[in-house]
Amino acid sequence: MRRRSTAGLVVAITGGANGIGRETAERFARAGALVAVGDLDGPAAQAAAQALGAPAIGLALDVTDERSFTAFLDTVEQQLGPVDVLVNNAGVMWVGAFETEPERVAERQVAVNLLGAIRGVRLVAPRMVARGSGCIVTVASAASLVAPPGESTYAATKHGIHGYLKGVRRELRGRGVDVCAVMPAVVDTALAAGTSTGATPMLTTADVAAAVVRAVERPRFEVFVPGRLAALAVLLAVLPRPVRDLAERLLVPDQLKRLAAGAATRSGYEATHFGGPTP
């Protein structure tokens, strides 16, 4: 397995001002990387970068806009150098019954989680291929393989990016660019506020950030967090459907039950990320 040192690498991170993205930026900076924090909240990105110390920059980035993403990559190259690592981290999640999900909310999740990550891959990969080296890490989710009740559209976006990365990985084989999907269980962030973790303990942002850095240092296509989820994924794939259904009911979080039991409200998060109150 090829090893890569993170010292001196130029690392660009989307959704980097808070949560997993910010923790990942801090970990790369401590390892000697040159970090670019991109976030829809430009001032928050700048503040996160300043907290890292030089060399780091913070830039406004809307992953749903082609010009914004292109300008982000161009600016990173101008100020720090060619992008060695792109961490596709930006993501949003709505929780609730599928029949009550507003159309604008579903569209937003697809635009950010799926098309935003696809856009990042499509824009950065040619630059890496031209140099014969690079690594693209996408923070997907365990929901890439299962679909918790109450997260149907979110899970669809994560299934989608996992499938997309499978194809891209094959197309890039032999061209010097690694493609990695990091798939954590539920992480203690604003995105997961008020949700259930199922049979897996709540993860910290540090757990996921460490996995992202390891994926760059020792590239693997699928990185599960915690690692034992890999065995669970293999098991679920070979079980007969009735047995698999039972296993998923026991192991996979049911967010609808969580909401029905009076879970902490998500109204603040959803108002911020989906442009107003949702049912």
Side-chain angles (χ1 to χ4, degrees):
M1 181 181 294
R2 181 156 50 91
R3 293 174 180 266
R4 176 190 287 115
S5 171
T6 56
L9 295 182
V10 174
V11 179
I13 303 171
T14 74
N18 298 285
I20 293 171
R22 181 160 184 161
E23 184 73 33
T24 300
E26 291 174 354
R27 190 165 290 259
F28 272 115
R30 290 197 300 270
L34 290 70
V35 179
V37 176
D39 200 277
L40 188 61
D41 186 339
Q46 293 172 2
Q50 289 171 0
L52 297 177
I57 58 174
L59 302 167
L61 167 62
D62 181 352
V63 299
T64 71
D65 183 272
E66 182 109 354
R67 287 178 296 181
S68 176
F69 216 137
T70 299
F72 171 70
L73 295 174
D74 287 345
T75 302
V76 174
E77 291 196 350
Q78 292 163 7
Q79 296 193 24
L80 298 180
V83 176
D84 297 298
V85 178
L86 173 67
V87 180
N88 273 322
N89 169 72
V92 293
M93 181 174 75
W94 182 85
V95 177
F98 73 89
E99 67 267 28
T100 67
E101 182 181 48
E103 183 175 5
R104 63 181 172 81
V105 168
E107 290 177 346
R108 180 65 178 168
Q109 289 174 92
V110 171
V112 175
N113 303 353
L114 179 56
L115 296 179
I118 288 174
R119 182 171 292 109
V121 173
R122 178 169 48 79
L123 292 176
V124 81
R127 304 175 188 228
M128 294 178 173
V129 169
R131 301 193 309 273
S133 67
C135 184
I136 303 170
V137 181
T138 298
V139 180
S141 169
S144 298
L145 302 177
V146 297
E151 298 178 12
S152 295
T153 298
Y154 177 79
T157 65
K158 296 303 183 178
H159 275 67
I161 195 58
H162 186 250
Y164 176 79
L165 294 173
K166 285 182 181 179
V168 169
R169 176 174 175 262
R170 293 188 65 183
E171 291 186 46
L172 289 175
R173 186 167 294 156
R175 302 170 75 181
V177 180
D178 297 305
V179 176
C180 308
V182 174
M183 295 183 285
V186 181
V187 187
D188 187 11
T189 64
L191 179 145
T195 63
S196 170
T197 64
T200 304
M202 179 77 77
L203 299 172
T204 68
T205 55
D207 294 327
V208 184
V212 171
V213 174
R214 286 196 302 270
V216 173
E217 293 173 336
R218 301 182 64 181
R220 289 181 293 146
F221 175 56
E222 294 178 329
V223 179
F224 292 90
V225 189
R228 62 179 177 274
L229 289 182
L232 177 61
V234 172
L235 178 62
L236 290 177
V238 299
L239 288 174
R241 173 49 66 181
V243 180
R244 179 173 183 171
D245 286 344
L246 175 60
E248 290 185 351
R249 283 198 298 272
L250 294 173
L251 300 173
V252 177
D254 187 328
Q255 307 304 358
L256 295 181
K257 288 183 179 179
R258 177 77 169 181
L259 291 175
T265 180
R266 291 176 51 81
S267 58
Y269 170 85
E270 291 175 356
T272 298
H273 293 278
F274 298 111
T278 59

